[in-house]
Structures are given as C-alpha cells and as structure tokens.
Amino acid sequence: MAAPWLPELVLALGGLAALGLGAWLRERAAPLLLPLSLAAAAASGALAAAERGYGAFFPVLFCALTAGVLLFAEPYARRRGLLGDEFYGLVLWACLGMVLTASAPSWLTLFLGYELLSLCLYVLVALPKGRLAGEAALKYFFVGAVASGFLAFGIAVLYAATGTLDVAASVADRASAATAAAQPWARLGLALLLAAFGFKLALAPFHLWAPDVYQGAPAPVTALLAAGSKVALFAALLRVACSAGDPLWAVGAPTLALLGTLAVVVGNVGALTQPRAKRLLAYSSVAQTGYLVLALSAVRQGGAAAALFYAVAYSAADLGAFGLLGSLSSPEREGDLDLLADLRGMGATHPWRAAAFSVCLLSLAGFPPAAGFIGKLSIFVAVFRAGFVVHGLVALATTAAAAFVYLRLVRALYALPPEGQPAVFVAPKAALSERVAAAAAVGVVGVLGVAPSLVFSPAARVLWGFLHP
Amino acid sequence: MIVPLGHVLLLAAALFLLGAVCAAVRRNLLLVLVGVEVMINAAALAFVGGALRWGRLDGQVFVLFLLAVAAAEVAVGLALLVRGYRGTRSVDSDCYRALRG
C-alpha cells in the first residue's frame, strides 16, 4: 500500500467523527459512539499491521490498549453521567498521540505526538465532577507543562548543536570538527530531554506527582495514564537508546541503570505502607517503569526483547488492575475505591472480578506463571549480563519485598468485612464490556506467561521494524 | 549570521533558567504558567539560532509548531484553572491539598 499515514488518519478521523456525531445527533448518538470508537481503534491497528508488519508492534499495542480502556470506561462513565462524545474523541486522539510519540523518527513528530497525548489526558483527568478530579488535573497539567518546556528546550539545544531533527542521527556518534565545539550543548540538550522523559514516565526523582494524579483521576483514565502514556514515552526512549553512539552510550547506560534502580526502589518501598489502593498502584507503576528503564540500560545485551515483552505484560496487567478497580467502585461516592479496607469482602460478593483483579496484581508482582514473572526474569538476566550487578541485586531485593505489597491488596480483596458490619459501598453489577475487557487483560497476562515466545521470537524483527520505519 | 551561535544559546539558556525558576518557586498558578511560557519561548529562540547556524528551515518550522502548541497548552491550562478555582476560590498552589497519602 502507498499510504503509510493511514493508521494515524483513521484515528484522527475517528475522534473527529465521534465529536461530529455528538454535535449533530445529540442524545441519539450515544449508542453509536462506543462501536464507532472501537471500530476506529481496531481499523487503525489492523491497517498498521498490514502496512508495517512487525514494525507495527507499538501502534497495535496502543490500539488494543485503547480498545480495552474504552470497554472499561463506557460503563464507568455511564454510571456517573460523564459519558459524552468528547470522551470518545479525546481517548482516540490520546491514542493517536501515543502512536505518533512511539513511532516518530523526527523530534518534531515526537514533540507534537507528546503534546497531543498530554493535552487529551489533562482534559480526560478533569472529566468527573468534584474537587478531587479538578485538583488531579491541575497537578498533572503543571507538571506536564514544565516537562514540555524541558522537552522543547532540550530538542532546541540538541538541534542547535547537531543541526538535525532526526532522532537517530542527532544521538548517533558524529565526531567531526564542526560538532566537537558543540558537544557541551548537545550534552545539555540530552540531559534536559532525559529530565522531560523522567517527568512523564514518573521516574524516581520526578515521580512525586504520580500518586496524587492517579488517586484523583477516574480509574479507566488512570489505566491510560499508567499503561499508555508511559509505554509511548518508553518507546521513544527505546529509539534513542538503540540509536545512541558509543561515547553517548558510555554515559547513557550507567545513567539509565541508576535511574531505573532508583525508580524500582522508590516505587516498591513507597507502596509498602500505602493505605490507599490507587496510590499503592501508582507507586507500583513507578517501580514497573523502573524495570523498563533497567531493561533499556542493557539494550545491547538482549535487554530490548525483554523490554518489549515487559511493556506488553505491564500494559495488560495495569489495564486490568485499574479497569477492575473502576468497575468495583460505587458511582455514589466521589472518586473511586480508596482505602484498601473498602475492598474487603469483594472476593465473596464479586468472585470473578476479584479473581481477575488478583491475577493482574500477581502478574505485576512477578509471581509465576503470570507474564510479569518471565518479564522480570529476562530483564534481570539482561541487566546482570550488561554488568550492572549491584543495580540488579538492589532491584531484585526490593522486588522480593514488593511481593508483599501486592499480596496486601489481594488479601484485602478476600478478607471478610468485620462482624455485623455491612459493606459500606456496594459495587455495581459488571457490564458485558467490562467482562470482555477484563477477560482480555487476564488472557494476555496468562497466555504470555505460558508462551512468552509469542513476543520473544519475533522481537528482533520487531526491533528492526521499529527502528527503520 | 552576525551573532555567534554560542551567544544566542547563552541568551536562550538564561531565559530558560528564568522561566524554570519562576515556574518552580511561584505559588500563584497563573505566574507558574507565565514561567512555562518563558521556557517555551527560550526554546523558540534556540531553534531560530540553530536554524540560522545550519542554514536549514526545519528549525524555523519547529518554532511555528511550538507557538501553536504553547497556545493550545495555555488554553487547556486556563480552563483547568477556572475549574479548580470553582472548588477552592484560589489560584494559590498551597490551596490544592485534597489529594494526599
């Protein structure tokens, strides 16, 4: 086919069509919007796969994730009266932003994709009524705005030093006399870019916003924040890491290893004593991003395949965890299920959803046979092979401690409410779409845990297709 | 180009630093937004300097996109600020503390 931009165009037009239908048909558009949005995501993923083959790994992942978020979000938003055409349009455009960020060969496309994703997410976080969501959106916006300032200035300085907007060319080694004088500027640009990525990925020194924002945002949108936006930024970082020249990589690999270890430690330790479910999952996602960045530091020793695998396993498990948390939350209260104690008794009253939730949590913790176990194992193997033994051991120790965190959450699900005290909040009945999405997330976590070669064997071709669009 | 690239970049870096400090230390959220705008304008200056140094147009094109994106960002930011103001009656960042651990 001669239309490599078709998958992106389908997403953009899908979002526009959702808004158009809402404007023209008003209430009568409501039953059309979910099928339309799902069809747009599915068509975009299928077109990307047909067009780019293995290179469509990330676009297909994001389209699948978006479909899962839509399935979880429709009943969630309908129960709370938040459902409108703008919701679908923003989710589809956020997906477009993720696809652009992940597959951008040029810093300009990357910047525009990143901004499109961020602007859509700010508004999505602010959708619910009440103070919590408004405050979460403001906190997310101001951190994101400062991060985009860092990103813009980092790209500008790197461009001024190297004279190219091509991502791969600007970080590759070109030791000519003309660029030697600009080396300090190039380094400054890369440092600023790393800070911008750190903010958006919620890596350890830049993670302080994440628990607040995750707590206040509606649960299905949190899934998009945690899985989608992080994996998109991670894909962009993967391109930089794979294209880096030797002098840059000599500094870059230890830096990434240090940042990754720090994020794993801070995330896992921060989650240990957290009494609120969504803040606990926020710290958990800080740690999960840490594993991804650790894998990046070993990208030349087989870390890339491990990172691709872990990105899929993490997205599916986080989508399931946040989606089910939203599904189990009562629409009568502001915000979602908050304290771990509010989850008590869910294992008895909602056995299927509690079981699916537990599977996702155990995968995030890294228990075999779930996908998270294989992912963590292969990441640690690559990290040790790359020579970051101390980093690996520290991360391994806190990973073992973090198993306790996820078990606390599972125990809360299956603990009985105190004697004679009825459950405070009753979870609504599961909608069909929620069941489908939860089954899909659990299916991905389970199947990849048993058959990891589904991602590992094509990983080399995926990486080649990703780096040579 | 008469002005050396190094001087342009130094000016842009100083501007960026001023914006970043303003965004970091101000309690008034409107002034934080002003700081972010100054940071983005510093990036635009560095892009123009780089484009002249290398004799290429893509840096200039980036500036056009940068201005459009900055405007969109301010629009969303002010809307969110109005929404937050309805709950707290304040634009002071210390008044937003409903979400805590």
Side-chain angles (χ1 to χ4, degrees), chain A residues 221-234:
Chain A
V221 174
T222 318
L224 203 58
L225 277 180
S229 115
K230 281 192 176 190
V231 174
L233 268 287
F234 163 75

Side-chain angles (χ1 to χ4, degrees), chain A residues 115 126 128 134-135 148 159-160 279, chain B residues 54 58-59 73 77 83 96 98-99 101:
Chain A
E115 286 296 326
E135 184 180 323
S148 64
Y159 170 76
R279 292 180 81 89
Chain B
W54 297 98
D58 47 7
E73 207 166 56
R83 188 199 186 294
Y96 292 87
L99 295 166

Side-chain angles (χ1 to χ4, degrees), chain A residues 351-431:
Chain A
W352 286 105
R353 277 182 281 176
F357 197 4
S358 307
V359 170
C360 293
L361 291 173
L362 293 179
S363 174
L364 286 173
F367 281 97
F373 170 71
I374 312 271
K376 284 196 173 68
L377 185 69
S378 51
I379 285 178
F380 280 118
V381 168
V383 168
F384 284 126
R385 209 184 288 161
F388 297 114
V389 178
V390 178
H391 301 78
L393 286 177
V394 171
L396 206 54
T398 58
T399 306
F404 171 72
V405 170
Y406 300 97
L407 288 179
R408 260 177 72 217
L409 205 48
V410 174
R411 198 192 64 178
L413 276 172
Y414 286 97
L416 290 175
E419 204 56 42
Q421 200 180 314
V424 192
F425 300 109
V426 182
K429 210 169 156 295

Side-chain angles (χ1 to χ4, degrees), chain A residues 107-108 111-112 115 119 122-123 126-139 141-142 144-146 148-150 152-153 155-157 159-165 174 178-179 185 188 192 212-213 215-216 274-276 279, chain B residues 5-6 9-10 12-13 16 20 23 29-30 32-33 36 39-40 42-44 46-47 49-51 53-54 56-62 65-66 69 72-74 76-78 80-81 83-85 87-88 95-101:
Chain A
W107 286 111
L108 177 57
F111 179 74
L112 292 176
E115 286 296 326
L119 290 174
Y122 301 145
V123 182
L127 272 185
K129 300 170 186 78
R131 265 180 81 169
L132 293 183
E135 184 180 323
L138 267 182
K139 285 185 171 165
F141 172 79
F142 278 101
V146 170
S148 64
F150 274 82
F153 193 66
I155 297 173
V157 172
Y159 170 76
T162 61
T164 174
L165 279 177
R174 298 180 311 140
T179 53
W185 287 110
L188 172 71
L192 290 167
D212 281 356
V213 173
Q215 188 192 346
Q274 198 43 251
R276 296 174 194 276
R279 292 180 81 89
Chain B
L5 177 65
L9 287 183
L10 277 179
F16 180 80
L29 292 175
L30 281 169
V32 176
L33 207 54
V36 170
M39 288 162 81
I40 289 181
F47 267 120
R53 158 72 179 77
W54 297 98
R56 295 173 58 124
L57 268 180
D58 47 7
Q60 313 264 11
V61 172
F62 205 122
F65 279 107
L66 205 56
V69 164
E73 207 166 56
V74 169
V76 171
L78 288 179
L80 291 178
L81 204 52
R83 188 199 186 294
Y85 183 81
T88 58
C95 292
Y96 292 87
R97 351 188 118 243
L99 295 166
R100 9 197 45 198

Side-chain angles (χ1 to χ4, degrees), chain B residues 3-25:
Chain B
V3 186
L5 177 65
H7 296 193
V8 177
L9 287 183
L10 277 179
L11 174 63
L15 204 58
F16 180 80
L17 204 63
L18 286 175
V21 169
C22 174
V25 304

